[in-house]
Amino acid sequence: MLSSSLSNPTLFTPFIGHNLRLNQNTKDGIKCFPSFRRHRVPKCAVDMPYGGNAPTFPRIRVWDPYKRLGISPYASEEEIWSARNFLLEQYAGHERSEESIEAAFEKLLMASFQHRKKTKINLKSRLTKKVEESPPWIKNLLNFVELPPMEVIFRRLFLFAFMGGWSIMNSSEGGPAFQVAVSLAACIYFLNEKTKSLGRAFVIGLGALATGWICGSIFVPMIPTVLIHPTWTLELLTSLVAYAFLFLACTFLK
């Protein structure tokens, strides 16, 4: 059995990846030492730099962030986000490609933020300039107007809209006199809370009610009857216009 194993010139050792060969010179009687020849072992993807066999982003060295992401210079933020997500999914696993895509995306996002901020500042400066260049009577008129927080606007809008809906629901039973009185009282209360002057609040509230009632009496009859519900009277429609004037007065006047 020993002689048969020595007569085999080649022994394989697959567990270490080497090929062992035993060479014998039968003529000279000299036995040579076994020679080892190393096989190339294929490397795994984790041993490869920057993501192994993952595809490489071809525009990794493009300087323009729009061209790098493959979008138009006039692309919206949604298009920028879509291009970024698509490229990250396509070249996932390649570190340098992901870094290049993220760098271009962040640069465009920062530029978009600065543009919005600059546009907002320019719009505010333009409005201020227009007010400064306006005639004196417009400046005096604007001194009586203010813009409250949106929360205050929505609260008061809900109140007067509720009054209008209440008047419409009770239109068949009677006139909206009670709802108009409650709306006037609410308007005076809000104005007094703002101006700290009950007399001024009464004047503005009554003026808003009178103006709304006069405008409703003039313009409501001009509305085609086809657009008006049959049960809605002129008094009801006029009160709806008055609610709108009361809302504007207690919300935006000071």
Side-chain angles (χ1 to χ4, degrees):
M1 184 175 181
L2 178 62
S3 61
S4 63
S5 62
L6 291 176
S7 62
N8 188 4
T10 305
L11 292 177
F12 294 97
T13 54
F15 56 91
I16 58 175
H18 293 277
N19 183 9
L20 176 62
R21 290 182 178 178
L22 298 177
N23 299 324
Q24 293 181 346
N25 193 336
T26 56
K27 294 181 180 180
D28 300 333
I30 301 175
K31 293 184 179 181
C32 299
F33 291 101
S35 61
F36 296 90
R37 185 173 62 186
R38 181 181 297 273
H39 286 279
R40 292 184 180 178
V41 180
K43 294 184 177 181
C44 183
V46 295
D47 300 328
M48 300 289 288
Y50 304 113
N53 297 325
T56 305
F57 186 44
R59 299 186 297 272
I60 196 170
R61 297 186 180 276
V62 176
W63 179 82
D64 190 351
Y66 289 101
K67 293 181 179 179
R68 190 185 302 177
L69 295 182
I71 56 178
S72 169
Y74 306 101
S76 62
E77 287 192 14
E78 294 182 357
E79 294 174 341
I80 295 173
W81 275 94
S82 299
R84 176 250 186 190
N85 295 336
F86 173 77
L87 293 175
L88 285 180
E89 291 179 1
Q90 189 174 5
Y91 299 99
H94 195 272
E95 185 179 352
R96 291 183 61 189
S97 299
E98 293 177 349
E99 290 177 355
S100 177
I101 295 168
E102 288 287 3
F105 168 75
E106 291 175 0
K107 187 180 294 185
L108 292 181
L109 206 63
M110 183 61 65
S112 177
F113 171 74
Q114 292 177 354
H115 176 71
R116 289 201 311 269
K117 187 177 180 181
K118 185 178 180 181
T119 304
K120 186 176 180 180
I121 294 174
N122 290 339
L123 180 61
K124 188 176 181 180
S125 61
R126 287 178 186 176
L127 291 176
T128 305
K129 187 177 180 180
K130 288 290 185 180
V131 172
E132 292 176 354
E133 295 176 354
S134 59
W137 67 272
I138 295 181
K139 293 181 180 179
N140 295 332
L141 185 62
L142 292 176
N143 290 332
F144 294 97
V145 179
E146 68 174 1
L147 184 63
M150 294 302 297
E151 182 181 359
V152 175
I153 295 176
F154 283 118
R155 284 180 180 177
R156 296 178 184 178
L157 180 62
F158 174 78
L159 173 63
F160 288 98
F162 173 76
M163 290 297 173
W166 188 9
S167 301
I168 293 174
M169 292 176 62
N170 294 338
S171 60
S172 59
E173 299 178 1
F178 178 74
Q179 290 85 351
V180 172
V182 173
S183 300
L184 176 61
C187 179
I188 293 174
Y189 171 79
F190 292 138
L191 288 169
N192 180 49
E193 190 179 38
K194 186 190 304 184
T195 61
K196 307 300 181 183
S197 174
L198 186 58
R200 182 183 177 87
F202 263 106
V203 171
I204 296 176
L206 292 174
L209 177 61
T211 304
W213 203 270
I214 293 172
C215 291
S217 301
I218 295 174
F219 294 106
V220 167
M222 299 180 183
I223 302 175
T225 55
V226 181
L227 303 177
I228 302 175
H229 196 274
T231 60
W232 291 5
T233 62
L234 177 62
E235 183 182 10
L236 173 62
L237 295 174
T238 305
S239 65
L240 297 179
V241 178
Y243 295 149
F245 275 81
L246 290 172
F247 163 73
L248 295 174
C250 69
T251 306
F252 299 103
L253 294 182
K254 61 180 180 179

